[in-house]
Amino acid sequence: MKKLRYIGVVLLLVCMTGLAMAQSVDSTEDGIVANAESTESDVDVNELVFGHIGDAYEWHIATFGNTIVSIPLPVIVHSSTGWHVFSSSHLEEGASYEGLYIAHGGTYDGKIVEKNAAGEEIRPLDISITKNVLGLFINSAILLIVMMSCVRWYKKHSIEDGAPKGGVGMIEATVMSIYNDVIKACVGEDYKRYAPFLLTAFFFVLMNNLMGLIPIFPGGANVTGNIAITMVLALITFFLTNFYGTKAYWKDIFWPQVPMWLKVPVPMMPVIEFFGIFTKPFALMIRLFANIMAGHAAILSLVAIIFITVKAGAVINGSMTVVAVAFGIFMEALEILVAFIQAYVFTMLSAVFIGLSRVKEHKAD
């Protein structure tokens, strides 16, 4: 019975992921049918896709006919009239509350705005708990529970008891693989100094990637598909790389070992190397963001094909339904693999960039 306590979270994630495609089809069908009944227009694929992967002030659970089940989230903004704290349910269906409302279209589409004296929409200071923020809290809490379960196992067992099994054994094998094959191999002598951040980054990205594939609460938040999240992760790597860089690292940037005419009088190579300081973390940010967001968009687009072809007749619609479901299941399985790959690649590249900054002075023979 004690083993179930350690692997329960893992089993829950596996079971929920197995139901992901069916839940995606059901919730998408309900949303599209409700939209068709109210507007009698064609399916808006852009609204369907980007409405799901985008951030929101409420967490949509499901739609049953004309009934929308959602969780309102706290709105915390500082406008021209001071601080405002209230539930996002006050802003449903374009309503205005305390001079604030959610913009539809324009520069601030989907964001809380107010109007100034000239009647122009302006953005107040917004620190609301949105869907992605709540998803970030939930995913971090699950990650802490998983890791603390492993810690509790190690406190109760000695080395003589042998290697752990089940979920704890899987976590240990993953940690040792990343620690030895990625961090130690890429960073070099100072690998222990950076191991806590790199291991945390790997499991943080992995957990958020996997939870984003589960379309039912508490999963479904597109956390790592949000460029603000990937930007913060990339900035941490940027600071660790450059703030702890050796003298040899900075020398190779501003006075690299290349022919003199590439450095003087036109500092071609130093300029290129200097821009490389910023392009490396930028590549980290875009790679993770683009891959995760593209995966969500691809799965939703495949599901939308079922409802787009409704007017084409039963034969075409039936055929496209089979194709869409088959490719959707394939994409869902592929995205599980991508979740691991992107976490691994982000950690590996961060370790490589940090390792390059720890280079020592080369002594001439």
Side-chain angles (χ1 to χ4, degrees), residues 267-343:
M268 181 184 302
M269 288 305 299
V271 170
I272 294 175
E273 292 291 339
F274 179 75
F275 276 104
I277 296 176
F278 303 97
T279 56
K280 291 174 183 176
F282 182 78
L284 276 179
M285 175 184 70
I286 295 299
R287 178 182 285 107
L288 179 58
F289 158 73
N291 279 279
I292 300 304
M293 187 186 71
H296 285 256
I299 293 174
L300 289 168
S301 299
L302 287 171
V303 174
I305 292 176
I306 300 173
F307 309 98
I308 294 174
T309 58
V310 168
K311 295 181 179 180
V315 176
I316 296 178
N317 180 242
S319 302
M320 294 307 299
T321 297
V322 174
V323 172
V325 171
F327 275 96
I329 295 174
F330 170 77
M331 285 298 301
E332 188 74 25
L334 182 62
E335 282 302 302
I336 297 176
L337 178 62
V338 170
F340 285 89
I341 292 176
Q342 289 305 315

Side-chain angles (χ1 to χ4, degrees), residues 106-319:
T107 305
Y108 306 118
D109 184 32
K111 303 297 182 181
I112 291 180
V113 297
E114 63 175 338
K115 288 188 177 181
N116 58 16
E120 300 172 336
E121 290 184 345
I122 58 174
R123 279 276 286 155
L125 175 63
D126 191 350
I127 56 172
S128 303
I129 306 299
T130 60
K131 177 182 177 180
N132 284 343
V133 174
L134 181 59
L136 181 62
F137 291 160
I138 293 174
N139 298 345
S140 299
I142 294 175
L143 182 58
L144 281 174
I145 292 172
V146 173
M147 291 304 172
M148 293 309 296
S149 298
C150 297
V151 172
R152 193 161 53 248
W153 188 94
Y154 285 109
K155 286 183 176 180
K156 295 181 179 179
H157 296 79
S158 61
I159 299 178
E160 290 75 15
D161 295 335
K165 299 179 181 179
V168 179
M170 181 182 67
I171 295 296
E172 179 182 317
T174 305
V175 169
M176 296 307 300
S177 176
I178 299 299
Y179 188 80
N180 293 321
D181 300 336
V182 177
I183 300 174
K184 187 176 181 179
C186 296
V187 176
E189 295 180 0
D190 297 335
Y191 69 93
K192 292 183 179 180
R193 184 187 215 179
Y194 304 97
F197 161 69
L198 293 172
L199 283 171
T200 301
F202 172 80
F203 284 103
F204 174 82
V205 173
L206 177 60
M207 178 59 70
N208 283 284
N209 288 351
L210 292 176
M211 289 296 291
L213 296 176
I214 303 173
I216 57 177
F217 184 83
N222 188 31
V223 177
T224 44
N226 188 313
I227 197 168
I229 301 296
T230 60
M231 180 182 68
V232 172
L233 292 172
L235 281 176
I236 296 175
T237 299
F238 172 79
F239 290 139
L240 291 176
T241 301
N242 295 286
F243 283 8
Y244 297 100
T246 62
K247 293 181 179 179
Y249 166 73
W250 290 107
K251 181 180 178 181
D252 288 341
I253 291 175
F254 293 105
W255 198 256
Q257 295 181 358
V258 295
M260 186 63 67
W261 62 273
L262 292 175
K263 297 182 288 187
V264 178
V266 179
M268 181 184 302
M269 288 305 299
V271 170
I272 294 175
E273 292 291 339
F274 179 75
F275 276 104
I277 296 176
F278 303 97
T279 56
K280 291 174 183 176
F282 182 78
L284 276 179
M285 175 184 70
I286 295 299
R287 178 182 285 107
L288 179 58
F289 158 73
N291 279 279
I292 300 304
M293 187 186 71
H296 285 256
I299 293 174
L300 289 168
S301 299
L302 287 171
V303 174
I305 292 176
I306 300 173
F307 309 98
I308 294 174
T309 58
V310 168
K311 295 181 179 180
V315 176
I316 296 178
N317 180 242
S319 302

